[in-house]
Amino acid sequence: GQNIDQPTEMTATEGAIVQINCTYQTSGFNGLFWYQQHAGEAPTFLSYNVLDGLEEKGRFSSFLSRSKGYSYLLLKELQMKDSASYLCAVQDTGGFKTIFGAGTRLFVKA
Amino acid sequence: DTEVTQTPKHLVMGMTNKKSLKCEQHMGHRAMYWYKQKAKKPPELMFVYSYEKLSINESVPSRFSPECPNSSLLNLHLHALQPEDSALYLCASSQGDEQFFGPGTRLTVL
């Protein structure tokens, strides 16, 4: 079966660092995406990890451990505009099918 | 042009109506996708077209009928929908790993 778990909600303070975890058990694995989605808008791409390790892109970093079925998204220097849902998504082996987790709603407070 | 466009933005239809959703991209991407997203839920894959051929149909009811007239266009024909089909319908395209999402069509079925 396909299972992607991430926390439902998180709250953090402006300027702080937050880590959003994602664990997955899927029949196939090609890579793992993180998307940001503001309410009522389409998801926007943040990162894609294929190999183990940390990928850094500005204030956002994403980590993957394939052996543990685990990833996290790290957001630094939080801003109010970072309040959004963050979706962890696994790309299946064939490359076309992407399975999304339920998303983590992040609230950034002043 | 680095975006996916979708029309209409909003659509209200009765259960006996026939309507179509349209998606367009001019990035030369050869894979295009339809997703359905209910409120506070992750996107669920419906269909994938690769090189204008249907490659994935995630057991979607026949009242949803996809069409890919050419490499830039993707349609979703709707007929005899149910109120529970009300959702945000997202189109995406990809060439490689990153999927680019359109803004979506918010569909309400009365």
Side-chain angles (χ1 to χ4, degrees), chain A residues 50-102:
Chain A
V50 175
L51 302 176
D52 287 0
L54 187 68
E55 300 264 350
E56 296 187 71
K57 196 186 287 188
R59 294 191 298 116
F60 293 70
S61 302
S62 56
F63 171 84
L64 176 67
S65 169
R66 294 178 68 135
S67 60
K68 294 181 180 175
Y70 168 68
S71 173
Y72 68 73
L73 180 69
L74 194 71
L75 293 80
K76 302 176 189 173
E77 300 168 18
L78 280 174
Q79 302 174 9
M80 300 297 286
K81 67 178 182 179
D82 296 329
S83 294
S85 286
Y86 291 85
L87 302 165
C88 171
V90 170
Q91 186 182 46
D92 202 356
T93 316
F96 289 128
K97 190 170 174 178
T98 302
I99 304 149
F100 285 81

Side-chain angles (χ1 to χ4, degrees), chain A residues 30 33 35 37 40-45 48 50 87 91 95-103 105, chain B residues 31 33 35 37 40-43 45 48 50 55-56 58 88 90 96-99 101-103 106:
Chain A
N30 207 40
F33 293 98
Y35 284 89
Q37 188 174 27
E41 297 181 12
T44 55
F45 171 85
Y48 178 65
V50 175
L87 302 165
Q91 186 182 46
F96 289 128
K97 190 170 174 178
T98 302
I99 304 149
F100 285 81
R105 294 184 71 195
Chain B
Y33 309 74
Y35 288 87
Q37 187 175 25
K40 298 185 181 180
K41 297 286 187 184
L45 184 66
V48 180
S50 174
S55 62
I56 295 178
E58 289 289 287
L88 180 68
L90 293 162
D97 303 318
E98 182 179 345
Q99 284 189 22
F101 282 85
R106 187 158 299 282

Side-chain angles (χ1 to χ4, degrees), chain B residues 15-31:
Chain B
M15 290 189 284
T16 58
N17 293 155
K18 282 186 182 179
K19 297 285 184 183
S20 296
L21 308 185
K22 296 187 184 301
C23 174
E24 192 166 359
Q25 58 88 14
H26 295 286
M27 295 178 278
H29 291 173
R30 304 318 298 257

Side-chain angles (χ1 to χ4, degrees), chain A residues 16-30:
Chain A
I17 299 173
V18 71
Q19 178 174 312
I20 303 174
N21 295 324
C22 171
T23 57
Y24 63 89
Q25 291 174 302
T26 55
S27 53
F29 182 87
N30 207 40

